[in-house]
Amino acid sequence: MDRHFLTELKKRRTFGIISHPDAGKTTLTEKLLMFGGAIQMAGAVKAKRAGRYATSDWMAIEKERGISVTTSVMKFNYSDCEINLLDTPGHQDFSEDTYRVLTAVDSALMVIDSAKGVEPQTEKLMEVCRMRNTPIMTFINKLDRDGMTPLDILGDIEDKLQIECAPLSWPIGMGKRFRGVYNLHQRQLHLFQPGGQTRHQEGIVITDLADPRLEELLGSQAEELREDVELLEGAANPFELDQYLKGSQTPVFFGSAINNFGVREMLDAFVEMAPGPMARPTTTRVVAPEEAQFSGFAFKIQANMDPAHRDRIAFVRICSGKFTRGMKVYQTRIGKQVTLANATIFMAQDRSHVDEAYPGDIIGIHNHGTISIGDTFYEKEPLSFTGIPNFAPDHFRRVRLKNPLKAKQLLKGLTQLAEEGAVQFFRPLSGNDYILGAVGILQFDVTMARLKAEYGVDADYEPVSFAAARWVTCEDKKQLALFEKEKQASLANDSQGNLTYLAPSLWRLENAMEEWPMIGFHKTRDLA
Ligand code: G4P
């Protein structure tokens, strides 16, 4: 490939933020965008805090989808890098979408509230990162408040997330006694000033901690810092780039997002250390980003900006080659050639048409329901990227159709919503029911509202006694047939015809797994 292509490639950093609601993801995003010059003032990142909205509010937000689309991918420049920050929906009910967004990143940033330590949503997201050994950088937030001791937080991360921590900065006090951080890597002291909104906070270089200037600057806390650093030198893991890139160690920074403190240091480390576009597996081989042929996959669909036209935007992550406007590519699932004429690239506040884009970039492709999550696009050699998961739902409802004459529309609506990843549905082998499955219960209300608004289907739902779903596979056809016969009443096909076991209780699921060791029970299923 030509030099220009390689230069563009090297500049790309594509990442997502993982955190539990309220840890400070939105605040941090805002500060990162400010450093990138993509926004001018705080408060500009909208469509946020979905966690605090009731369903009706969420629907209202969705009506303004223009906003949520633009915030789904935020592109900004910093220090010669082109950074794509992929937003992960804040509401935990939509974590399935979040999971899939993580398949399109090359690294992640984990935000942890210093008072709360590792919280459940972070643990779940971390599981997804671990599936792909995604490199993770950690930001411990809210040091301006009293919280757990830094060592306890690191211990909590190591215990709960099974990842080694390598602190690159160290806090001096916390809460009212928070004085700043000492950058262990650059041996610089950064003093804390509340409310700092400026982009420049130069550190004070103190290479030798015995330096008496430390007393002048920190008073009695100077000695505490010395003791901490001495302790760390003996006990903490030294940072190793290759361990971070392998996903087995996380470099840790401390700060306060709201005060814009510690953020720039982390961003500087991020552009230096975080990986650029990585190679990705397909069903046939691993595709390297430097390859000349264009390839990419759809990881998210945003539907119906204009309900009358069933307009959808598919978010496609470019994996190799260069995208040029109007190029002709093949779409794996349908095996047809399509023209990518109408692609959009996402800036923080804006959407603009793209003429070219490179691996790591995300392009939005308008379509009318022809693109599904997991679809691969390629130029010549047929490829199909793997690892874009569907997660077994935790919640189930049975659909009640109010007007039986609308059965066809119901099937069409549910099929499209499933392709989009908005909800999953299952058809029990015995009977004509539609069983909806979701990772979060808010998805059910949104599904009903969208069936009505977009497909003219008046339906509601009722409880149904399923506790878990597992996709079922077995190499041995005879065993599978026996299993099907015995478990007929608990088996269903998903929207793509994959056999699924709907367990009435977790206990029954465990039982079935013990009883049928030859059968594979899968919690996730690759869409691609
Ligand atoms: P999220 O996207 O992860 O859900 O978190 P978000 O940024 O919305 O932050 C959650 C709350 O934590 C917000 O307060 C925010 O102001 C606060 N916060 C973020 N970073 C810091 C920090 O460094 N220190 C302190 N003390 N607070 C921080 P809120 O009161 O819920 O919202 P708001 O009224 O301030 O907007």
Side-chain angles (χ1 to χ4, degrees), residues 400-515:
R400 269 197 325 221
L401 183 60
K402 291 188 184 155
N403 176 357
L405 294 175
K406 294 277 187 178
K408 246 179 149 174
Q409 280 89 334
L410 176 67
L411 176 61
K412 182 175 174 194
L414 286 179
T415 304
Q416 292 202 353
L417 292 175
E419 277 169 8
E420 212 184 272
V423 75
Q424 297 181 47
F425 75 87
F426 302 91
R427 317 269 343 237
L429 297 189
S430 45
N432 285 319
D433 283 347
Y434 286 93
I435 305 295
L436 298 183
V439 170
I441 52 171
L442 196 54
Q443 280 172 264
F444 297 127
D445 284 344
V446 173
T447 301
M448 292 305 145
R450 288 189 56 189
L451 279 174
K452 183 151 200 211
E454 296 163 28
Y455 301 92
V457 176
D458 208 357
D460 60 9
Y461 57 79
E462 60 188 14
V464 59
S465 56
F466 294 122
R470 293 292 181 270
W471 284 283
V472 169
T473 55
C474 185
E475 303 255 305
D476 184 336
K477 293 245 154 53
K478 263 195 193 152
Q479 276 284 323
L480 189 61
L482 274 176
F483 178 77
E484 277 189 41
K485 203 167 155 213
E486 192 174 314
K487 297 283 180 204
Q488 175 87 11
S490 303
L491 288 173
N493 283 316
D494 72 3
S495 58
Q496 292 177 10
N498 300 293
L499 192 62
T500 316
Y501 174 58
L502 299 177
S505 69
L506 291 177
W507 177 80
R508 293 279 280 275
L509 172 65
E510 270 174 36
N511 227 304
M513 288 166 77
E514 268 170 32
E515 229 178 279

Side-chain angles (χ1 to χ4, degrees), residues 17 19-31 48-52 87 90 111 113 139-145 192 255-261:
I17 299 183
S19 65
H20 192 85
D22 264 4
K25 185 184 73 168
T26 311
T27 311
L28 184 67
T29 300
E30 235 164 48
K31 305 297 173 196
K48 50 157 292 194
R49 312 243 173 98
R52 285 176 221 158
D87 189 32
V111 184
D113 182 328
F139 186 75
I140 314 268
N141 192 25
K142 307 196 188 180
L143 264 289
D144 59 317
R145 282 199 190 156
F192 174 62
S256 167
I258 196 119
N259 291 295
N260 201 7
F261 187 78

Side-chain angles (χ1 to χ4, degrees), residues 4-17:
H4 176 70
F5 174 82
L6 291 176
T7 313
E8 289 294 329
L9 180 65
K10 274 207 191 123
K11 283 187 189 170
R12 263 54 186 186
R13 300 283 182 279
T14 302
F15 78 109
I17 299 183

Side-chain angles (χ1 to χ4, degrees), residues 188-208:
Q188 282 188 9
L189 184 69
H190 292 265
L191 291 176
F192 174 62
Q193 289 163 327
Q197 294 285 351
T198 53
R199 293 176 57 179
H200 301 289
Q201 297 162 339
E202 296 308 332
I204 303 163
V205 182
I206 298 197
T207 41
D208 180 4

